[in-house]
């Protein structure tokens, strides 16, 4: 036993019941409880995923009060579009350094809930609609933060995919969908990087609050995945402290002081809670406090300028170039030309979302200022606001007119559009995915006077482009890209940086095309995940729906060629050591340095259950100089080919053909290879409830039937009709195919 473990046990035995109970609750909004008598200190936790929101004074959990200045990095939906694990790791290291400086021991992030619907108000805080991508990227961030001796809190576990009624709603999700879509990102991060803590979600899953969900918190998270850390509640997610302890929730935040602690003490005293359950949670709290100490003793510092530069690099990599007709970008204004900058967001940056993740930035780049200084002496930059933020008053008409006038006389027009803060935030969902009406009116008016509009978008969740994209020449989706968003947008606009981002979420033609549309956000306290495993591109592809821009899509100022795709197999499913290696070459065929993401998708061609046409199972981002070629390789294991079988309660790979497709987006696949895998056929034990088909598919069952004179049961025409009937039903049809006695004999012989 380690010294630390011994130490914890010693201290555990010295704690009174009341002290143990107190340790399972925080002491205030952001601190664990100290036990001064025994020298157990308190530690501080703080949001969040893209920058520290350390509230050193007034505290709240929805971003109302101020917080210490910290670098605001791109939010998760932006950073997720970088498809770059190394960047996630580097940003994580920076977050760790800042946490250390601020005395914060656990950073409350990353957030990796799936983007089930584009309407979720908090999509800006989540990485992707795809669990593999979210899992890979968040693993790197957890490694980065924790490399600094600072903990993470992977959140919100699980199925927290909307803000509407988020504190109570029950997400009704079948197990296969949980296992294949809503849990795998958590599973991967837990297995590969052991976050110090996992934060349970507010909502219920299938009728049980996540904070009390034994299956989620204990059976799956700890027993199956081997989670070694502590489970903390989302802020206010605990309803019954004793039930939560029994479910596997160690730490309640913020504390319901005098209520939750008293309930724990009473439950131990009256025997309704085993003290050993309490002890387990207390040990985990003590361990968390212990492992936080070394970083707290360091004399930590960070360079805000370096971190700002990193935020700018991260914002470069997060942007996705959606459209660039006639290579209008990068912008190279002729000497003496006029560049019209239109849109309030060029002057008033929109760079992060609202709520608990809101950071007080150390600096703020303003796109208009950045462009003016970048083009000083080369071109004249002129500005018109074009629209007001969150307003629809009379002044709008004048703003519009000024903008149109400016655009009509300008050589180049760059329009900064996006979602104002009041349109998307933690706490509520959107009701549509369009840009605000005043911005759309402006855009159409500008298109009347200028035919090469360049649109720069700032929004956390996706916005619909299908109603206007044919009226503009270029669209650069910059998301909510943090405090350096303004500078980064200008770098990208002028070609100082080359866009390398790829969509981590599909942009549908219409909201109605999204598979969750009919079931979002639910009603009367329940949201049915009726679309099952088919979310995001899994649904759009399976339904053969046109989309505006597919998952994985993103242009560059250079061009790439992916070729020499090769697939090789070693090991096998029966031996449990299957390894499929996919290799490819990627070449920069253009004239600028750039980066391409080689994406590997797998599809099960002969599945016995409904499966997506293809699913992302690997990707590699490569930076290439003009003319440079690199060889990339991805390893796929058995799980890449498996589905979760409800019947067998396990991951199952079925024998047969699988498609492996490689490309630069989910709908731009340059090579598709077919491989054949052999896997053991799984079957439930035969019995009276098994169908005739199941008996005949089973070697032994078929043999027993064919040994007897049961011709009707072997007649191909009849089998088509009665094959799906259970044997005991067939036996009940007197004189038809077999009798009850014969069925009993068959079963006895089995
Ligand atoms: C959010 C969490 C956050 C917590 C603390 C909650 O409202 O859902 O993501 O970490 O507050 O601010």
């Amino acid at each position: 036993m380690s010294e630390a473990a011994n130490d914890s046990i010693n201290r555990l035995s010295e704690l009174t019941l009341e002290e143990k109970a107190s340790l399972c609750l925080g002491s205030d909004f952001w601190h664990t409880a100290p036990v001064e008598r025994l020298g157990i200190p308190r530690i501080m936790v703080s949001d969040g995923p893209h920058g520290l929101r350390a509230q050193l004074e007034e505290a709240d959990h929805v971003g109302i009060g101020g917080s210490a200045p910290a670098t605001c990095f791109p939010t998760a939906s932006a950073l997720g579009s970088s498809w770059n694990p190394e960047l996630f790791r580097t940003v994580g290291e920076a977050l760790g350094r800042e946490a250390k400086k601020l005395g914060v021991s656990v950073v409350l992030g990353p957030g990796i809930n799936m983007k089930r619907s584009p309407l979720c108000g908090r999509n800006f805080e989540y990485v992707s609609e795809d669990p593999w991508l979210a899992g890979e990227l968040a693993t790197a961030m957890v490694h980065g933060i924790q490399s600094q001796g600072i903990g993470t809190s992977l959140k919100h576990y699980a199925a927290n995919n909307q803000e509407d009624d988020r504190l109570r709603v029950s997400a009704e999700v079948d197990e296969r969908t949980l296992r294949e879509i809503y849990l795998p990102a958590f599973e991967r991060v837990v297995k590969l990087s052991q976050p110090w803590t996992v934060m349970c979600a507010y909502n219920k899953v299938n009728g049980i609050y996540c904070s009390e969900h034994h299956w989620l918190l204990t059976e799956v998270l700890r027993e199956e995945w081997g989670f070694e850390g502590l489970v903390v509640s989302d802020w206010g997610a605990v309803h019954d402290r004793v039930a939560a302890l029994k479910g596997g929730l160690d730490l309640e935040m913020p504390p319901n002081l005098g209520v939750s602690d008293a309930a724990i003490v009473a439950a131990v005293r009256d025997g309704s809670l085993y003290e050993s359950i309490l002890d387990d949670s207390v040990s985990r709290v003590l361990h968390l406090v212990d492992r936080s100490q070394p970083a707290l003793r360091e004399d930590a510092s960070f360079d805000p300028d370096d971190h700002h530069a990193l935020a700018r690099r991260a914002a470069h990599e997060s942007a996705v170039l959606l459209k660039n007709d006639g290579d209008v970008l990068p912008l190279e204004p002729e000497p003496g030309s006029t560049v019209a900058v239109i849109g309030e967001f060029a002057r008033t940056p929109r760079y992060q979302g609202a709520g608990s993740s809101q950071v007080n930035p150390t600096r703020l780049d303003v796109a208009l200022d950045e462009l003016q200084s970048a083009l000083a002496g080369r071109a004249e930059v002129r500005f018109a606001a074009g629209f007001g933020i969150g307003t629809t008053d009379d002044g709008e008409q004048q703003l519009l007119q000024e903008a149109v006038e400016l655009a009509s006389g300008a050589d180049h027009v760059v329009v900064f559009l996006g979602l104002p803060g009041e349109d998307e935030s933690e706490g509520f969902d959107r009701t549509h995915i369009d840009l605000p009406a005043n911005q759309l009116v402006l855009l159409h008016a500008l298109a009347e006077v200028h035919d090469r509009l360049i649109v720069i978008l700032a929004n956390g969740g996706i916005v619909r482009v299908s109603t206007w994209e044919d009226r503009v020449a270029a669209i650069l989706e910059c998301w909510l890209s943090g405090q350096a968003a303004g500078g980064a947008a200008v770098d990208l606009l002028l070609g100082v940086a080359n866009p390398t981002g790829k969509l981590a979420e599909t942009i549908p033609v219409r909201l109605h095309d999204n598979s969750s549309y009919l079931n979002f956000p639910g009603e009367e306290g329940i949201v049915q995940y009726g679309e099952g495993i088919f979310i995001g591109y899994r649904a759009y592809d399976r339904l053969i729906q046109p989309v505006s821009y597919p998952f994985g899509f993103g242009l560059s100022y250079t061009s790439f060629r992916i070729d020499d795709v090769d697939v090789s197999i070693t090991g096998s499913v029966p031996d449990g050591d299957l390894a499929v290696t996919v290799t490819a070459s990627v070449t920069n065929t253009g004239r600028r340095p750039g980066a391409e993401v080689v994406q590997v998708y797998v599809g099960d061609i002969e599945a016995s259950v409904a499966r997506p046409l293809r699913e992302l199972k690997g990707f590699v981002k490569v930076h290439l100089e003009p003319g440079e070629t690199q060889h990339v390789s991805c390893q796929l294991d058995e799980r890449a080919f498996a589905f979760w079988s409800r019947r067998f309660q396990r991951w199952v790979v079925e024998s047969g053909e699988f498609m492996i497709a490689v490309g630069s987006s989910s709908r731009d696949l340059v090579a598709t290879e077919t491989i054949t895998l052999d896997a053991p056929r799984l079957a439930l034990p035969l019995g009276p409830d098994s169908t005739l088909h199941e008996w005949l598919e089973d070697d032994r069952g078929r043999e027993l039937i064919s040994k007897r004179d049961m011709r009707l049961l072997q007649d191909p025409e009849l089998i088509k009709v009665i094959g799906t009937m259970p044997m005991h039903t067939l036996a009940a049809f007197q004189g038809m195919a077999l009798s009850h006695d014969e069925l009993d004999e068959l079963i006895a012989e089995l």
Side-chain angles (χ1 to χ4, degrees), residues 67-226:
S67 54
T71 311
C72 179
F73 291 98
T75 68
S77 66
L79 214 51
S81 308
S82 73
W83 290 56
N84 185 348
E86 182 267 323
L87 181 66
F88 268 73
R89 189 185 166 104
T90 311
V91 169
E93 288 164 358
L95 289 172
R97 278 193 293 275
E98 297 202 15
K100 215 168 355 185
K101 167 82 183 151
L102 292 165
V104 169
S105 297
V106 178
V107 173
L108 302 177
I112 53 168
N113 294 97
M114 289 294 100
K115 300 186 196 214
R116 173 175 178 248
S117 163
L119 294 176
C120 173
R122 229 174 158 182
N123 273 356
F124 72 91
E125 273 196 73
Y126 300 140
V127 178
S128 180
E129 68 186 19
D130 181 84
W132 179 264
L133 182 60
E136 288 296 284
L137 298 178
T139 295
M141 180 169 273
V142 171
H143 277 308
I145 297 175
Q146 296 193 168
S147 71
Q148 302 303 304
I150 300 296
T152 51
S153 197
L154 193 64
K155 67 190 188 184
H156 309 88
Y157 182 69
N160 176 186
N161 309 101
Q162 65 190 58
E163 291 299 282
D164 194 277
D165 203 16
R166 68 171 165 157
L167 277 89
R168 297 180 313 187
V169 73
S170 177
E172 305 282 317
V173 206
D174 65 79
E175 185 173 353
R176 178 174 173 209
T177 301
L178 281 170
R179 297 276 192 176
E180 291 189 28
I181 302 293
Y182 296 100
L183 300 187
F186 288 95
E187 176 181 1
R188 195 146 177 88
V189 183
V190 165
K191 286 182 172 168
L192 296 185
S193 63
Q194 282 292 350
W196 288 12
T197 79
V198 165
M199 186 189 291
C200 83
Y202 282 128
N203 51 286
K204 303 181 193 111
V205 169
N206 297 324
I208 303 173
Y209 278 114
C210 289
S211 60
E212 299 169 16
H213 214 297
H214 192 266
W215 182 79
L216 278 174
L217 302 184
T218 300
E219 292 165 51
V220 173
L221 180 64
R222 287 197 191 285
E223 293 167 7
E224 284 187 32
W225 301 346

Side-chain angles (χ1 to χ4, degrees), residues 22 25-34 42-43 252-253 255 257:
S22 78
L25 278 56
S27 56
D28 63 24
F29 240 83
W30 303 120
H31 293 92
T32 59
R42 61 177 202 168
I43 58 162
E252 172 184 337
M253 290 300 284
L257 290 171

Side-chain angles (χ1 to χ4, degrees), residues 345-368:
F345 292 132
R347 180 170 65 178
T348 310
R350 172 90 176 113
Y351 63 100
Q352 68 171 328
S356 61
S357 67
Q358 196 161 317
V359 177
N360 175 14
T362 58
R363 274 167 57 179
L364 191 55
D365 288 357
V366 176
L368 180 58

Side-chain angles (χ1 to χ4, degrees), residues 221-477:
L221 180 64
R222 287 197 191 285
E223 293 167 7
E224 284 187 32
W225 301 346
F227 177 58
E228 293 163 4
L230 165 148
V231 178
V232 59
S233 69
D234 197 347
W235 266 233
V238 173
H239 300 266
D240 175 338
R241 187 64 190 96
V242 174
L245 266 176
K246 288 182 185 168
L249 183 119
D250 304 304
L251 178 63
E252 172 184 337
M253 290 300 284
N256 193 354
L257 290 171
V259 176
S260 290
D261 38 359
I264 295 173
V265 171
V268 172
R269 293 226 165 97
D270 71 18
S272 55
L273 174 69
Y274 291 126
E275 192 159 356
S276 60
I277 294 181
L278 175 62
D279 286 352
D280 284 347
S281 286
V282 172
S283 304
R284 291 185 196 119
V285 176
L286 292 178
H287 180 51
L288 180 69
V289 173
D290 284 348
R291 70 203 306 197
S292 303
Q293 297 312 307
L296 289 170
R297 285 193 287 269
E298 277 178 45
D299 185 15
S301 67
F302 71 93
D303 182 344
D305 291 339
D306 282 356
H307 282 196
H308 185 79
L310 173 60
R312 190 148 166 163
R313 169 160 90 84
H316 293 155
E317 284 216 40
S318 300
V320 182
L321 181 61
L322 295 175
K323 175 170 182 168
N324 193 15
D325 281 359
D327 287 341
V328 62
L329 287 176
L331 192 61
E332 284 160 356
E334 317 69 44
S337 59
T338 316
V339 179
V341 174
I342 294 172
E344 185 57 54
F345 292 132
R347 180 170 65 178
T348 310
R350 172 90 176 113
Y351 63 100
Q352 68 171 328
S356 61
S357 67
Q358 196 161 317
V359 177
N360 175 14
T362 58
R363 274 167 57 179
L364 191 55
D365 288 357
V366 176
L368 180 58
D369 300 345
E370 296 278 336
L371 192 62
Q372 268 162 344
S373 70
L375 293 182
R378 269 167 71 189
E380 191 190 350
V381 176
R382 298 181 59 199
F383 173 74
F387 59 88
I389 297 176
T391 54
T392 45
D393 58 19
D394 304 341
E396 284 292 300
Q397 195 51 34
Q398 198 187 333
L399 294 177
L400 178 80
Q401 254 167 24
E402 285 166 8
V404 171
E405 266 164 41
L406 176 60
S408 58
D411 300 296
H412 307 280
V413 180
V414 186
V415 196
F416 286 77
L417 304 177
L419 294 178
E422 52 276 13
D423 278 31
E424 58 174 347
S425 162
E426 177 177 348
F428 63 89
D429 294 319
R430 289 190 284 168
T431 52
H432 61 82
I433 57 170
D434 286 310
L435 286 170
N438 57 352
Q439 295 186 32
L440 291 173
V441 170
L442 169 72
L443 189 63
H444 287 291
L446 294 173
E448 293 297 316
V449 298
H450 205 282
D451 61 1
R452 287 172 15 116
L453 297 180
I454 296 165
V455 173
I456 311 274
L457 289 174
N459 42 276
I462 51 120
V463 292
R464 171 148 87 141
V465 297
S466 58
T467 54
W468 52 265
E469 65 163 325
D470 58 340
R471 308 209 66 189
V472 307
I475 309 174
L476 183 64
E477 173 58 86

